Structure formats: C-alpha cells, structure tokens
Amino acid sequence: MPLTRDQAASKYFQLYANSKRLAWDPASVDVRADIAQWSRIKAEHGDIDATTQLLQLIALFHAGEESVTTTLAPYVGAAARTNAGLDVEMFLASQLYEEAKHFEFFDRYVKEVVGPDAAGMDRFLPGPPQQVLIDDLAEVSERLRREDDPVLLRATFVEAITHYMGVVEAMLARTGYRGAHEALTLRGWLPGLQEGFRLIRRDEGRHVAFGIHFIADACARDESMRAIVQRTFERHLPNVLGTVASFVYPHPLVDVEQLQGYAIGAYQQFMAAAGLADDAAAAQALVLELDESV
Amino acid sequence: MHRPFTRAWADALREAINSDATYKSAAAKWTWPVALVLEADPALGYEEPVAVELALDRGTCHAATLVAPAAITAPFTLRAAYPVWKQIVTGSLDAVTAVTMGQVKFTGALTTLLLHVNAAKALVGAARLVPTAFPDEAT
Ligand SMILES: [Fe+2]
Ligand SMILES: [Fe+2]
C-alpha cells in the first residue's frame, strides 16, 4: 500500500528523510589524535582527575546508547500495533539504526582511545543512572512489547515515548552534550570525541523532535495522555537530577549547578514544545536548536 | 529584625512577598500553598522542627502561618537544616540548586516546581528582603 499523501508530507516522514540525508559512519570518525591526547591529559591534569571525569561521561553515554539500542525495537512494533502510521514506523526504524551507530561509536572509542583506563567503568552506573537509563527503560520497553490490550497499549506507548525521547534524550542526553561541550570543546580536548558528539547530537535532535511531535499528537487526540506524560516525568526527574549531581568533583571540569539548571531548562523546553506547558519562549528556544540539527 | 521561623518573621515575610513586584510577576501562574520547614536545632533555640505555611496564589501571599510540621496541608514542602536555609536566605546558595542537589528535602510535584523555577527563585528573593536576626550571629 503506498504512503498516503499526508504520511509522505508528515513531520515523521521528513525526519526520516533527514536521517538518510545526514547519515554518517562511526567507523570513519578519526580518533587518532585522541589516543595521544588521552595520555597527555591524564599526565598533565591528573591532579584534578580529568580523565576520570571524562571516563564517567563516556561510560554513561556508552551504557546509555547500548540501552536505547536494545530497548527501541518494541517501539517499532507498538507503532504497527497501534496503527500509528507507516511514517512513524519508518522514522523509528531509522532511529534504531542510528542508536546502534551511536553505541558503535562509543564502544570503538572506549576500545581504541580509553584502552586499559576503561577497566571498571561500570562503577559509574549504580544508582540514578542505572535506574533511569537502563533498568526503568528496559522495564517500560518490555511492558510495551507484552501489552495486548489496545487501550492500555496506547497509554503505555505514550509512557514509553515520554521516558525514552523525553526523559532520556531531551533531558539527560542534551544535558550530557552540554557537559561535553564545556569539558571538551572549550578546552580543545579530544577532537575525535568532539566530532562523535557533534554527529550524535545532530541525530538526537531528530529523535527529540519525533518525541515532541508524537506526544503533542497523542495529547491532542486524547487529553488523558497529558497525565501520563506528567506522571512519567515525575517518576524519573529525581534520577535525572541525581545523574547530573553525580558529576560533582573537587575540581570539576563542568559546573554541576549550571548543568542542573540546563537540565531543568531542557525539561521546561520539552514540555512547552509538546504543548504541555505554557511557555512560548522555552518552546521557541528548543525548536530553534532542533532546527539546526535536523 | 526578626528571628527566622517565628510569628513576626512569618508576618514580615508575607509583607515582603506582597510588596515585591518581581515576585508578583514571576509567580503569576503559581497557585499552590508552600510550606518551609526548619529542622530542629536546639543549640540555636529551635527545640522542635518548625514550619511556615505560605498561602500563595498568583503573586500574592494571603497568609503566612507558623505551624508544626505534622499540621502542614500545603502540597509543596521544602525542608532543610538551619545552615542551609541561612545560605539560601543570604543568597550564597540557590534554592532550586539546593533542591536538585538534595540539600533541601522537597516533597510535592517536582514537575510543577521545575516548570515554575522563576517563581521559586523570586520567593527566595522576597525572603531576602525580610530584616532577619540570625541566631548564630553575635548580637
Ligand atoms: Fe543515541
Ligand atoms: Fe537517540
């Protein structure tokens, strides 16, 4: 059956089309300069634990991208089972491919650049990051896969999209890019990692844009979905803030208080852009930022 | 000069809120009562924890009542030890940061608080206007 005219012109299809146009290969990002720089940063900034702080950031992205890669497939299935539209299914398929590439990038980076220093990097996970990024995301994804009541499936789909595209991508990941920008770009450190973050952030802009449109559409069709979005954020916000707070060091590479403020702003922007909070300036700020990346 | 978390301080806080134009505009959409709770600190004369409940509605404080924490009915509660409150009131610690970093214990809908961060900051701004006699400072 051909795509309908509406589907071919939809925001979802446009995001899918942009995904093809902006495709990149994680294996082609040049990380050779980073290998020597990693040792140099470790030697020259050992007094402030610079590579430990960088490793924590890398460890969370590595685990986070793995988690979003392994939990997204049920979303594609749920799109089909709720008749969300072939355009939605096509977009989610493109996202699944991109999350796999993001995981590949960080996995490659850990092996080729961080090397033996990556030993024990799982120590950064227990507590809030493990909960919000991995365990709870796996739990809602599994519920989505198993749900066969059509009404409950729609509600679970909205919850799952809010958790994945709202809490994890719009709040946590965007805050992570901000942290990476401050830690790396402003210091001119690790150009290969910076380039990876740049390309991943561009992809993530589409994923966040998808989440905003999906939630706005779902809430426009059914007002009761608003409470589900609200409840999902309420449940996970403490773990988002706890994850950001875990970057406190005696000599921090990034200002954690500013980062908390950024995370709160990211939440306000997501809610406003999805039409769930009355804040035109916040909505506009996010739309402008996403336009740069999609 | 008022000792914090007393009847007179609560009254002065209500007046400060109501005469603060910044709060009035920043909190135009805030419609819920808020309770501030001070942990017990016997060394400073606070034998029991004490709360000030603020009846806030769209930029106005209709009442500021001194209550025991068990009697709080406000849907939002901010609870902290004396040194934390002092840092907040004197401006060396941001109230919202203190919530996100766990120095202030928050109960209520975090989603709502975080959508109204400016109202919360403006409330603290008004509290800074209250002439306060800090009991840990020599008089
Ligand atoms: Fe990703
Ligand atoms: Fe993503």
Side-chain angles (χ1 to χ4, degrees):
Chain A
M1 212 165 59
L3 281 171
T4 67
R5 194 184 294 252
D6 280 353
Q7 284 171 338
S10 77
K11 180 77 188 178
Y12 304 117
F13 188 84
Q14 185 195 325
L15 291 168
Y16 161 79
N18 289 346
S19 163
K20 291 183 299 172
R21 189 169 53 81
L22 297 169
W24 59 285
D25 182 356
S28 303
V29 177
D30 186 352
V31 299
R32 280 170 300 181
D34 294 35
I35 297 171
Q37 238 194 47
W38 183 270
S39 311
R40 204 161 62 236
I41 293 168
K42 191 178 172 186
E44 289 174 9
H45 303 279
D47 53 331
I48 62 162
D49 271 340
T51 49
T52 306
Q53 299 185 45
L54 295 173
L55 181 60
Q56 180 176 5
L57 187 70
I58 292 165
L60 261 52
F61 270 99
H62 183 264
E65 298 290 6
E66 180 182 2
S67 171
V68 295
T69 302
T70 57
T71 51
L72 192 59
Y75 290 62
V76 187
R81 288 185 292 136
T82 55
N83 297 315
L86 198 53
D87 50 346
V88 172
E89 283 183 62
M90 289 165 81
F91 173 78
L92 284 169
S94 78
Q95 177 166 351
L96 182 49
Y97 170 57
E98 286 170 358
E99 300 302 5
K101 290 197 295 181
H102 302 169
F103 172 65
E104 178 196 346
F105 174 78
F106 282 105
D107 202 57
R108 179 179 162 232
Y109 198 85
V110 163
K111 288 179 176 125
E112 291 181 23
V113 177
V114 182
D117 286 346
M121 71 174 184
D122 287 355
R123 69 182 182 279
F124 296 112
L125 287 175
Q130 175 77 34
Q131 195 77 45
V132 64
L133 268 177
I134 298 166
D135 295 349
D136 290 349
L137 195 59
E139 186 269 329
V140 73
S141 169
E142 179 60 14
R143 255 194 294 130
L144 190 61
R145 191 177 67 78
R146 296 161 81 111
E147 187 57 69
D148 50 17
D149 178 275
V151 175
L152 290 177
L153 179 61
R154 275 175 200 282
T156 307
F157 202 14
V158 168
E159 179 189 346
I161 296 270
T162 303
H163 187 153
Y164 192 121
M165 285 80 180
V167 174
V168 171
E169 297 189 315
M171 265 192 102
L172 256 182
R174 288 184 67 222
T175 304
Y177 304 135
R178 180 68 180 202
H181 175 79
E182 279 190 37
L184 303 173
T185 314
L186 300 181
R187 289 181 172 83
W189 285 358
L190 305 173
L193 185 56
Q194 284 186 45
E195 176 65 359
F197 270 120
R198 184 185 72 80
L199 293 162
I200 290 169
R201 179 169 172 267
R202 199 174 64 184
D203 291 347
E204 293 297 337
R206 290 190 296 279
H207 306 170
V208 171
F210 166 84
I212 288 167
H213 283 276
F214 186 93
I215 285 170
D217 283 351
C219 292
R221 273 195 305 270
D222 180 353
E223 276 272 310
S224 71
M225 295 297 158
R226 298 172 74 105
I228 293 171
V229 176
Q230 192 86 15
R231 231 179 14 247
T232 306
F233 269 107
E234 191 68 45
R235 177 171 165 209
H236 301 293
L237 274 177
N239 283 328
V240 171
L241 299 174
T243 300
V244 179
S246 72
F247 282 86
V248 169
Y249 286 85
H251 302 282
L253 292 180
V254 294
D255 182 330
V256 171
E257 288 185 16
Q258 269 181 28
L259 222 49
Q260 292 282 29
Y262 186 84
I264 292 168
Y267 163 67
Q268 294 171 334
Q269 290 175 351
F270 185 85
M271 293 299 274
L276 300 179
D278 177 17
D279 187 341
Q284 184 64 12
L286 183 56
V287 168
L288 280 176
E289 191 188 308
L290 296 182
D291 272 354
E292 277 173 19
S293 71
V294 296
Chain B
M1 300 282 273
H2 308 292
R3 181 179 156 83
F5 287 85
T6 57
R7 171 77 266 156
W9 182 79
D11 286 343
L13 177 57
R14 175 175 47 83
E15 278 166 31
I17 293 169
N18 287 337
S19 55
D20 186 350
T22 305
Y23 181 77
K24 192 154 221 73
S25 64
K29 290 176 190 165
W30 183 270
T31 57
W32 305 272
V34 173
L36 313 175
V37 185
L38 172 66
E39 299 287 8
D41 196 333
L44 296 175
Y46 299 102
E47 299 297 331
E48 303 284 337
V50 56
V52 171
E53 199 160 31
L54 303 168
L56 301 170
D57 188 20
R58 281 167 280 232
T60 302
C61 179
H62 292 292
T65 335
L66 207 66
V67 297
I72 290 171
T73 57
F76 296 91
T77 304
L78 298 152
R79 185 173 186 130
Y82 176 84
V84 174
W85 279 129
K86 184 177 174 187
Q87 281 180 51
I88 290 172
V89 167
T90 55
S92 65
L93 177 62
D94 177 76
V96 175
T97 302
V99 169
T100 60
M101 303 298 280
Q103 291 146 296
V104 169
K105 248 172 67 193
F106 174 78
T107 51
L110 193 55
T111 44
T112 304
L113 179 76
L114 296 189
L115 287 180
H116 295 87
V117 163
N118 290 340
K121 287 185 194 281
L123 181 65
V124 171
R128 285 184 191 141
L129 303 174
V130 177
T132 300
F134 293 102
D136 60 324
E137 290 175 12
T139 50

